Amino acid sequence: MKFAKVMPTILGGALLLASVSSATAAPLSDQSIPFQAPYASEEGIPLNSGTDDTIFNYLGQQEQFLNTDVKSQLKIVKRNTDTSGVRHFRLKQYIKGIPVYGAEQTVHLDKTGAVSSALGDLPPIEEQAIPNDGVAEISGEDAIQIATEEATSRIGELGAAEITPQAELNIYHHEEDGQTYLVYITEVNVLEPAPLRTKYFINAVDGSIVSQFDLINFATGTGTGVLGDTKTLTTTQSGSTFQLKDTTRGNGIQTYTANNGSSLPGSLLTDSDNVWTDRAGVDAHAHAAATYDFYKNKFNRNGINGSGLLIRSTVHYGSNYNNAFWNGTQIVFGDGDGTTFRSLSGDLDVVGHELTHGVIEYTANLEYRNEPGALNEAFADIFGNTIQSKNWLLGDDIYTPNILGDALRSLSNPTLYGQPDKYSDRYTGTQDNGGVHTNSGIINKAYYLAAQGGTHNGVTVTGIGRDKAIQIFYSTLVNYLTPTSKFAAAKTATIQAAKDLYGATSAEATAITKAYQAVGL
């Protein structure tokens, strides 16, 4: 397996970066409430002010499956109506007023006001099992210091934080040991002495580290791009100088240079005549704009967070740096060493992949380890590849420039680059946060089959095209998945999204169902 080929360009959360077919029959392992018949108002008509009552009445009937006191512990935190008229609600669990980490439930109402599906993952926590009755013995500042000391022990004295550390008290159900902990959740996010973004779960009673994992999403005018092509850019004139600053999209797109250093964001790129020759900067700016336009035109989404979040990119990071990453606030691109990579901003699907990690963080917020982490990587691959829509390869424009036709990953044939293309072949070890860059190939293959069609593992899928496939996967990400969703839940969620968008017996729902079956889910 060519695992080593991918790993050097994928640190942390990077570019290098289930069994039933419907929610009506899904077992709890699919993170779906066993579904019998729709619950609607007595009148059977769309509900307005009574919508919340519909949701809580329905969930109240399912308390035996949810392991929770619905009315006292679940709060609606997000509402959304999609283009088909289906209303989507996301609820979060709180016990003793403390949020339960990853415990989210989604409920979906069809156009008649009936509950059409409910999916989520609420851990089995008894209120009396919460340590110290929910009272912390250490402070949030103590937890931040513990995390800082652990990070320092790994990489040395830490530079300035990219994001000011915060510590949030949570109830955490640890899957590995089945225990419930009262924890502070915090993160260390620095660039010096090396890029690092790690999430920590600090025991709020005794200060021990319950769990931790890396988050940093590594990927691994007119102007001339990295490949020698000419691009049109939106820039800003300031006096007699032009700046690589676009104020027409959301809250802006800005492109900087680190001048081969490591300070971010660096210096805003400027030019005297608005004819740009910094090829890495040209592509970073143009590809960020293309990604913004894709999400806006395709899904009416205003940028990464849906509210026009400023997109900031920095090129020329480090010396011959063979990587790119999203660090929670911006994208960073190395120039490559000319052998393993050329300038990493030169590939639209790489830029799209990294920015999609930001979209994921603001929607389903898929936990970056094990199967949720592989889903995180797969969705970043799927959207990055679809934004470019040139072929089914990822990173082929910048990876091994001296080897024609080479790429980082293939959605059509994941096995070409050391990834499994069916669930039974998944990686089950602990490397790479539990195989997030390996097992993503399973979901990538399912998406390819849904869009393009084909026969795989004896299952024939009639493709529905990229446009419909990406609409379904977008709705799945934004409306149905929760932070701890696994592959089985993703299957159930994607099928339900297809049914809600195109109809329960539609060709689109059938294609999604068969695509997941073809990869062994």
Side-chain angles (χ1 to χ4, degrees):
M1 175 166 93
K2 298 179 182 177
F3 190 61
K5 173 181 180 180
V6 180
M7 283 300 294
T9 53
I10 323 183
L11 306 178
L15 162 72
L16 303 188
L17 295 176
S19 305
V20 296
S21 61
S22 77
T24 59
L28 288 179
S29 61
D30 278 6
Q31 298 177 288
S32 170
I33 295 173
F35 200 73
Q36 302 288 328
Y39 178 93
S41 63
E42 291 181 3
E43 298 82 2
I45 60 176
L47 299 173
N48 295 312
S49 60
T51 296
D52 289 6
D53 288 338
T54 297
I55 291 169
F56 282 104
N57 287 341
Y58 174 76
L59 292 176
Q61 297 175 356
Q62 315 297 331
E63 280 189 339
Q64 61 177 314
F65 305 114
L66 290 173
N67 307 305
T68 187
D69 182 332
V70 167
K71 289 192 174 179
S72 68
Q73 294 185 1
L74 292 182
K75 297 181 182 179
I76 297 174
V77 295
K78 188 176 293 186
R79 295 173 168 86
N80 178 47
T81 302
D82 67 27
T83 55
S84 69
V86 174
R87 284 174 285 175
H88 307 279
F89 299 82
R90 186 176 294 271
L91 299 91
K92 187 170 178 61
Q93 184 182 18
Y94 295 79
I95 302 177
K96 295 180 177 294
I98 304 170
V100 179
Y101 174 76
E104 295 186 5
Q105 179 72 41
T106 65
V107 180
H108 313 275
L109 272 59
D110 65 20
K111 285 179 273 192
T112 71
V115 176
S116 61
S117 63
L119 302 95
D121 187 15
L122 304 182
I125 298 175
E126 297 291 338
E127 190 166 318
Q128 60 269 25
I130 299 172
N132 216 35
D133 202 33
V135 178
E137 294 290 342
I138 68 171
S139 68
E141 291 77 11
D142 292 334
I144 291 170
Q145 182 61 32
I146 291 166
T148 299
E149 290 174 356
E150 193 284 331
T152 300
S153 72
R154 281 191 288 147
I155 67 171
E157 192 65 29
L158 304 182
E162 289 299 295
I163 298 176
T164 302
Q166 303 289 328
E168 181 186 51
L169 191 66
N170 272 244
I171 295 163
Y172 176 52
H173 182 72
H174 198 332
E175 286 191 357
E176 282 76 6
D177 63 16
Q179 299 297 308
T180 298
Y181 296 89
L182 185 67
V183 300
Y184 284 107
I185 299 177
T186 187
E187 72 173 57
V188 173
N189 189 332
V190 297
L191 292 171
E192 295 292 347
L196 178 76
R197 187 184 181 199
T198 302
K199 176 177 280 190
Y200 292 89
F201 300 76
I202 308 296
N203 194 315
V205 177
D206 64 18
S208 61
I209 298 176
V210 175
S211 185
Q212 68 185 77
F213 58 91
D214 289 328
L215 283 168
I216 198 165
N217 291 310
F218 280 105
T220 15
T222 63
T224 303
V226 171
L227 302 181
D229 54 333
T230 299
K231 289 182 168 67
T232 300
L233 306 171
T234 300
T235 62
T236 297
Q237 186 170 4
S238 177
S240 61
T241 301
F242 294 90
Q243 301 172 330
L244 217 45
K245 180 189 293 186
D246 179 351
T247 61
T248 68
R249 293 172 167 90
N251 291 321
I253 297 172
Q254 299 175 3
T255 305
Y256 294 74
T257 175
N259 292 307
N260 300 120
S262 59
S263 296
L264 294 182
S267 304
L268 185 66
L269 281 165
T270 60
D271 188 83
S272 60
D273 61 3
N274 214 20
V275 179
W276 299 80
T277 57
D278 186 318
R279 296 188 174 197
V282 165
D283 274 350
H285 200 69
H287 291 161
T291 300
Y292 177 92
D293 290 347
F294 172 83
Y295 277 103
K296 181 64 175 175
N297 297 335
K298 187 74 70 175
F299 314 114
N300 197 31
R301 183 179 186 85
N302 183 12
I304 290 172
N305 67 347
S307 300
L309 183 72
L310 172 67
I311 297 175
R312 184 182 287 120
S313 304
T314 298
V315 296
H316 306 306
Y317 181 82
S319 178
N320 298 323
Y321 188 61
N322 274 327
N323 230 320
F325 58 89
W326 161 264
N327 73 349
T329 61
Q330 70 163 93
I331 316 178
V332 180
F333 300 100
D335 290 325
D337 60 9
T339 301
T340 304
F341 285 101
R342 56 165 58 99
S343 296
L344 280 94
S345 62
D347 197 327
L348 174 56
D349 56 30
V350 170
V351 178
H353 172 109
E354 292 306 323
L355 287 173
T356 297
H357 275 304
V359 174
I360 293 167
E361 193 165 328
Y362 282 100
T363 54
N365 195 25
L366 289 158
E367 185 178 70
Y368 203 73
R369 56 179 167 180
N370 304 322
E371 288 192 14
L375 288 173
N376 193 315
E377 276 300 313
F379 275 83
D381 278 355
I382 287 164
F383 281 88
N385 180 267
T386 303
I387 291 167
Q388 190 175 47
S389 287
K390 180 179 72 171
N391 51 36
W392 297 100
L393 299 173
L394 197 81
D396 52 311
D397 287 337
I398 48 90
Y399 185 61
T400 54
N402 299 320
I403 302 175
L404 187 64
D406 202 12
L408 289 169
R409 288 189 286 282
S410 167
L411 278 68
S412 62
N413 186 5
T415 62
L416 283 176
Y417 304 108
Q419 291 185 299
D421 61 5
K422 58 180 182 294
Y423 190 67
S424 59
D425 289 344
R426 69 192 182 281
Y427 172 72
T428 58
T430 59
Q431 293 184 14
D432 184 34
N433 277 16
V436 297
H437 295 98
T438 303
N439 293 332
S440 57
I442 299 165
I443 304 301
N444 286 349
K445 180 70 174 184
Y447 172 77
Y448 165 79
L449 289 168
Q452 189 73 3
T455 299
H456 184 59
N457 293 325
V459 179
T460 299
V461 184
T462 300
I464 56 176
R466 285 187 197 253
D467 188 62
K468 288 183 177 179
I470 204 65
Q471 292 286 349
I472 293 167
F473 273 70
Y474 178 77
S475 182
T476 301
L477 174 66
V478 172
N479 298 315
Y480 297 83
L481 294 179
T482 64
T484 55
S485 292
K486 298 180 178 64
F487 281 12
K491 172 186 175 177
T492 302
T494 315
I495 293 170
Q496 188 61 47
K499 290 179 176 181
D500 286 343
L501 285 173
Y502 297 105
T505 60
S506 64
E508 292 79 8
T510 298
I512 295 294
T513 302
K514 286 187 174 295
Y516 276 102
Q517 289 173 349
V519 297
L521 288 163

